[in-house]
Amino acid sequence: MHYILLIISAALVNNFVLSRFLGICPFIGVSKSTDTAIGMSMAVVFVIALASLVTWLLNHYILVAFGLEYLQTIVFILVIAFLVQLVEMIIQKVSMPLYQALGIYLPLITTNCAVLGVALLNINLKYDLLESVIFGTGSAVGFGLALTIFAGMREELELSSIPKVFQGTPIALITAGILSLAFMGFSGLVK
Amino acid sequence: MLIATLVVGAIGAVCALILGISLVTFAVKMDAREKEVVEMLPGANCGACGFAGCAALAHEITVNPEAPMACPAVKEDTIKAIAALLERDMGSLEPAVACVRCKGGPQEAPSRYEYVGPRDCRSAQLVAGGPKVCQYGCLGMGSCVTVCLFDAMAMGEDGLPHVNIDTCTGCGKCVEACPRGIIALVPKTGTYCVSCISEDAPKDMKKICSVGCIKCGICADVCPFEAITAEKGKAALIDQDRCRKCGLCTGVCPVSVITGRTVPEKARIIPGACIGCGICEQVCPTEAVSGRAKEPYSVDPGTCIGCGLCLAKCPADAIERYNA
């Protein structure tokens, strides 16, 4: 039950994009069509789950052991970048279809703040290894959910007559705000 | 300080080492030519080839020597350059262009209600099947024009989209965009196209559109190559593989619904090869061939319409077509 609540909390109540405001760049950048949004979401889920696992291990067995917790941010950036590169190479060799499905989105999220955000939050919230991975996956699913919903809305926006000043990113940001309000409705569901 | 430097340095070094090893272990062989092919392709990533963008097509034609050059948007000389680079035979695609198969603008084919939604054919189609009374006609919102990546389409004053044959690459984006399937791809050279796809009975069609195909079937009867099918209850359809671009159909169509652009071609008889059988004289629909039996015949360029009928029937292959 605890783990289910953790997923609901990460995905809906404390949605990464809509209430923590992390990962806004891909949220605006790759939300023009639902196809690319789904591709991006898959890649994010994959990388965040993996990054949660590795950064937790690294933090507990190396940084804490040496008393170097203050280096978390820089080490995590380094490791996440490394991890994405490595995973990309392995996938390309092992599973070409998966590589093509994730496509450009895999290297794109190397520098996504949502990934780093999950890694740091895992430490701050004092989660254990399993909790970290579940929290990471839940957060990424929430990110994907918000991204896909948003992409669907933007596809509809393309067909609407929008005043010229609001066309493009402005209306997208306004829509994101309203979507965020909708997600605020989940607050109080889980602590 | 020292420990911090050492730890971060060590982590970095380990990461670098693993990456270096995996670069060798997980190396995927990439053909260097693939990149060059990508640069030669149009780069519009339109997807007309059936692959997920230009890079995917480049990969396919580089890796698989049997894969056809599926890009309809590249020019002939580019195909040759790619073929030379990959040292393989590319074949060639007959260049295609889009043809809008509707002549009924707002003047000719009226609307049944006033549509005020987004200026998009697909949206308009969703509102009770579209504002136009004719269920097959062009909605005139220009979705095809919007999706064209090559600026080859424009809405004309008649409320219908027009294709610029010179810039159209035949990618087929507009074909997909049209919710009524009005646009078709046809060969670029000497295109003939029935500009109507209505399946309404002629008397019903006449009430709602003044320029549609009346399904009389005269074109099908006159076509020497059996390239036109006029099935009951359907607008005439030209089989572009069989069409020899003679243009006879445009002449006989009572409602002038068959449009076409002919490359001015004429037939001529190769004197040395002609056996003087006279079949050409018999089949010529315009009596342009004349001559005496067992002597070389000749074609009068003034009356020849370049239909190629004589070409098809000549037993000695003694007739050729040339650009007049």
Side-chain angles (χ1 to χ4, degrees), chain B:
Chain B
M1 177 66 195
L2 185 66
I3 295 175
T5 319
L6 282 177
V7 168
V8 176
I11 293 174
V14 169
C15 290
L17 191 68
I18 297 176
L19 274 188
I21 293 169
S22 57
L23 199 60
V24 181
T25 334
F26 297 107
V28 176
K29 272 199 186 134
M30 286 274 283
D31 199 321
R33 298 173 302 176
E34 202 176 307
K35 217 175 157 188
E36 290 181 52
V37 177
V38 175
E39 281 164 15
M40 284 190 223
L41 292 173
N45 290 320
C46 65
C49 55
F51 291 93
C54 296
L57 174 67
H59 175 75
E60 187 62 27
I61 56 178
T62 315
V63 174
N64 180 2
E66 297 296 310
M69 177 64 218
C71 179
V74 284
K75 299 259 170 356
E76 194 65 34
D77 46 340
T78 316
I79 297 180
K80 278 186 192 142
I82 295 174
L85 177 73
L86 299 176
E87 292 166 351
R88 54 166 283 197
D89 180 32
M90 274 295 172
S92 65
L93 280 174
E94 163 109 43
V97 288
C99 169
V100 181
R101 295 182 295 172
C102 179
K103 288 178 87 180
Q107 297 296 318
E108 297 85 9
S111 297
R112 52 202 174 114
Y113 63 84
E114 193 188 344
Y115 173 75
V116 288
R119 299 293 295 171
D120 178 88
C121 300
R122 286 157 290 187
S123 302
Q125 175 74 11
L126 290 172
V127 183
K132 198 160 258 192
V133 186
C134 174
Q135 289 299 291
Y136 305 93
C138 174
L139 292 163
M141 305 276 166
S143 285
C144 47
V145 178
T146 318
V147 295
C148 182
L149 295 161
F150 302 96
D151 284 336
M153 291 187 93
M155 293 303 290
E157 282 177 7
D158 53 1
L160 295 168
H162 291 273
V163 182
N164 180 347
I165 306 184
D166 297 322
T167 44
C168 177
T169 59
C171 73
K173 277 274 156 189
C174 50
V175 178
E176 281 171 34
C178 181
R180 293 187 156 186
I182 292 166
I183 306 176
L185 291 180
V186 292
K188 190 168 189 168
T189 45
T191 298
Y192 284 92
C193 184
V194 181
S195 296
C196 182
I197 55 166
S198 171
E199 291 178 12
D200 287 334
K203 68 176 198 315
D204 299 330
M205 197 274 304
K206 268 288 165 197
K207 287 178 198 155
I208 55 176
C209 176
S210 57
V211 287
C213 172
I214 54 169
K215 300 151 190 85
C216 62
I218 296 178
C219 51
D221 292 340
V222 83
C223 178
F225 310 104
E226 294 172 3
I228 306 182
T229 43
E231 279 175 48
K232 213 171 175 284
K234 278 189 179 169
L237 187 69
I238 299 178
D239 180 345
Q240 299 292 347
D241 291 334
R242 287 186 169 182
C243 176
R244 299 282 290 270
K245 290 126 191 170
C246 67
L248 285 176
C249 48
T250 42
V252 297
C253 179
V255 285
S256 305
V257 76
I258 305 180
T259 49
R261 189 185 75 142
T262 19
V263 173
E265 276 188 336
K266 305 281 180 192
R268 72 176 158 215
I269 293 169
I270 308 160
C274 180
I275 52 170
C277 66
I279 293 176
C280 46
E281 188 182 5
Q282 287 165 26
V283 296
C284 180
T286 57
E287 294 175 5
V289 188
S290 56
R292 297 224 315 263
K294 296 191 178 167
E295 278 172 32
Y297 280 67
S298 65
V299 182
D300 172 20
T303 26
C304 175
I305 54 167
C307 68
L309 201 48
C310 50
L311 206 75
K313 299 284 182 189
C314 179
D317 288 334
I319 308 176
E320 61 180 6
R321 275 204 283 197
Y322 64 101
N323 285 332

